[in-house]
Amino acid sequence: MARDENDDILPDHDAAKEFYAKYEPKEVLGRGVSSTVRRCIEKETGREYAAKIIDLSSEDNNTESIRESTLSEVHILRMVAGHPHIIELHDVFESHTFIFLVFELCRNGELFDYLTNVVTLSEKKTRYIMKQIFDALQYVHSENVVHRDLKPENILLDDNLNVKLTDFGFAKILKPGDKLFEVCGTPGYLAPELLKAAMYEDAYGYDQAVDLWACGVIMYTLLVGCPPFWNRKQMIMLRNIMEGKYSFDSPEWDCITEAPKDLIRKLLVVEPSKRLTVDEAVNHEFFHAVHCGVKQFDARKCFRMAIMCVRCVVRIQRLKNTPETLSVSNAGMDPYRMKAFRKVIDNCAFRVYGHWVKKGDCQNRAALFENVPKTELKSLYISNLNRL
Ligand code: ADP
Ligand code: MG
């Protein structure tokens, strides 16, 4: 970390200079409220990283709170470092006007963009992604940290579609039994107890359980492509969250098995003490190997397969009638090999020499098209040569 012995903040240009001396910034990968994330290359090694550049140069009062939350983010990132599904912080540079956080690069971007591309994920893929999220969260909670901003935008994917949990900007250290009251996060993913903490004076507060609620929202969204409590009017959405009002009624849910529905039901529980803990979630039957082998009849999938089979058979049948492709070079070198040309040439030749052939004499007709020397003529020619 770019700090001197007395832990004083370095002059602005020094931190920026140090960063630019070591890294070459490239294109923008993403933007947050007060940060820009760019791909960058470490000059010495040629390795690629993602640099989160936090701008503290504006004059408003907000900058101090941004600095504080960024330093807290760095502290927590170091507490939860070393897990395969948590983003690795590689380097930090800090000054009065900028903070540079250098992370490992996740080339496949956000789970959000992946979901936008594919619309929905199969149960198998959802299981693969959710298992990694829960594994990361188990580690985060075991370190007495609550993330508070779990959503597909803050779940990154590396080259092999492995999950990397990121953005610990709202994360907080929270000892067992302690409660938080502050409202933060993203509306669609907020847990009911967190909303209540904002609304009622005598609210009980909230803890790590809010992350499990967000996991329920994420899992629901991955499976059917739309979030469970969404409503055009935000007030109605927040009321739906407080009442835990969601359903598995849409037709997409018809082809989804019971196990993922059961897990979602046990995560989207309004009363936090009755909600699954992260340890219980990783052990849910949805993640059991035995369950992976059990397949339910999926009418839509079967229909799609049947259509594909019919199309395949039709194509194979048509194959024998499909004319072979005719390359210009082949046609130039050996036109007689091509069926279409052969017909044209034969017809022309027959028009010229046809009168030689007696009607119904197949032998003579065949001889007309013979293009190798006749053996008796060949031997006659050789004997004539010998005589000379
Ligand atoms: P903020 O706290 O401002 O939301 P994030 O840490 O979430 O900042 O980063 C903002 C966006 O930048 C992410 O949603 C993502 O698109 C992109 N991003 C962040 N870190 C990386 C990374 N390591 N690799 C690739 N893209 C990243
Ligand atoms: Mg973010």
Side-chain angles (χ1 to χ4, degrees):
M1 186 164 159
R3 305 186 89 175
D4 67 11
E5 275 175 15
N6 303 321
D7 218 24
D8 283 330
I9 295 166
L10 285 167
D12 296 344
H13 56 278
D14 283 357
K17 246 192 194 168
E18 253 191 84
F19 172 77
Y20 289 112
K22 219 171 154 192
Y23 298 93
E24 200 184 317
K26 298 282 181 189
E27 77 277 4
V28 173
L29 297 170
R31 285 182 205 277
V33 184
S34 54
S35 71
T36 306
V37 178
R38 284 180 180 274
R39 182 173 72 87
C40 65
I41 296 171
E42 192 175 36
K43 291 179 184 168
E44 204 180 314
T45 59
R47 284 202 197 111
E48 291 177 301
Y49 292 95
K52 182 166 168 175
I53 304 164
I54 297 126
D55 186 358
L56 304 170
S57 59
S58 74
E59 291 294 301
D60 59 33
N61 309 329
N62 217 4
T63 51
E64 263 326 293
S65 76
I66 296 172
R67 179 190 299 283
E68 263 174 42
S69 73
T70 308
L71 296 182
S72 148
E73 181 176 355
V74 170
H75 178 63
I76 289 175
L77 276 163
R78 287 185 172 148
M79 281 175 72
V80 297
H83 191 277
H85 299 306
I86 295 177
I87 198 83
E88 187 201 306
L89 182 64
H90 178 70
D91 225 341
V92 180
F93 301 86
E94 183 197 342
S95 77
H96 281 290
T97 48
F98 282 102
I99 301 179
F100 301 86
L101 306 185
V102 183
F103 291 100
E104 68 175 302
L105 176 68
C106 292
R107 237 175 279 268
N108 274 312
E110 300 171 11
L111 175 61
F112 180 85
D113 293 326
Y114 180 69
L115 188 63
T116 308
N117 277 339
V118 297
V119 185
T120 60
L121 262 63
S122 64
E123 278 185 41
K124 198 173 161 192
K125 274 219 173 108
T126 305
R127 179 181 300 113
Y128 182 71
I129 301 264
M130 288 309 300
K131 180 70 173 59
Q132 297 178 56
I133 297 174
F134 282 126
D135 281 348
L137 196 62
Q138 195 174 28
Y139 188 60
V140 170
H141 287 188
S142 74
E143 292 291 314
N144 294 325
V145 171
V146 47
H147 186 283
R148 299 201 292 180
D149 201 16
L150 288 181
K151 56 180 177 178
E153 291 90 324
N154 288 335
I155 293 159
L156 304 179
L157 300 169
D158 73 2
D159 299 2
N160 308 313
L161 287 190
N162 282 322
V163 160
K164 299 279 174 178
L165 186 57
T166 188
D167 198 352
F168 285 75
F170 286 144
K172 247 312 196 271
I173 300 167
L174 189 69
K175 296 264 159 27
D178 286 356
K179 298 283 169 196
L180 292 166
F181 292 86
E182 181 195 359
V183 180
C184 65
T186 307
Y189 300 85
L190 297 179
E193 67 272 24
L194 192 146
L195 291 173
K196 281 176 194 158
M199 286 174 161
Y200 308 118
E201 288 266 302
D202 57 345
Y204 187 64
Y206 64 90
D207 57 16
Q208 275 83 352
V210 294
D211 288 340
L212 276 302
W213 176 275
C215 283
V217 178
I218 295 172
M219 189 168 158
Y220 185 110
T221 314
L222 293 185
L223 284 167
V224 290
C226 66
F229 303 103
W230 193 84
N231 192 291
R232 213 157 29 89
K233 291 181 182 146
Q234 191 157 310
M235 273 316 290
I236 299 180
M237 183 182 78
L238 296 180
R239 202 187 318 141
N240 287 345
I241 294 175
M242 304 265 280
E243 292 169 8
K245 213 165 120 191
Y246 70 97
S247 76
F248 294 131
D249 290 343
S250 64
E252 290 89 346
W253 285 105
D254 294 347
C255 1
I256 293 169
T257 60
E258 189 47 36
K261 287 180 188 166
D262 185 68
L263 177 52
I264 292 170
R265 254 183 236 118
K266 288 173 177 164
L267 291 170
L268 297 181
V269 175
V270 174
E271 173 53 46
S273 60
K274 291 184 183 147
R275 199 175 299 153
L276 289 190
T277 64
V278 73
D279 295 331
E280 287 164 340
V282 285
N283 288 315
H284 187 271
E285 63 158 326
F286 181 52
F287 300 115
H288 289 175
V290 189
H291 172 75
C292 300
V294 182
K295 275 197 174 169
Q296 258 204 1
F297 174 70
D298 179 348
R300 196 177 294 190
K301 225 177 191 175
C302 288
F303 184 60
R304 218 179 286 155
M305 277 297 282
I307 291 176
M308 266 160 60
C309 288
V310 171
R311 287 174 71 178
C312 178
V313 169
V314 170
R315 280 214 184 157
I316 291 170
Q317 269 183 342
R318 280 188 189 157
L319 208 60
K320 69 173 184 333
N321 300 326
T322 315
E324 55 182 305
T325 47
L326 195 67
S327 81
V328 179
S329 60
N330 270 355
M333 290 292 292
D334 190 3
Y336 205 74
R337 267 189 53 203
M338 310 291 163
K339 199 177 170 189
F341 280 173
R342 198 155 55 232
K343 267 192 157 175
V344 176
I345 295 167
D346 286 357
N347 280 339
C348 291
F350 204 74
R351 235 176 276 140
V352 176
Y353 302 110
H355 60 280
W356 290 359
V357 183
K358 281 181 229 145
K359 272 215 168 114
D361 189 345
C362 295
Q363 287 272 315
N364 275 344
R365 195 179 188 284
L368 195 65
F369 302 112
E370 207 167 66
N371 55 4
V372 282
K374 281 218 167 225
T375 39
E376 60 266 37
L377 288 177
K378 204 168 149 192
S379 56
L380 188 71
Y381 176 72
I382 291 166
S383 64
N384 281 345
L385 271 182
N386 289 342
R387 242 182 270 147
L388 288 170

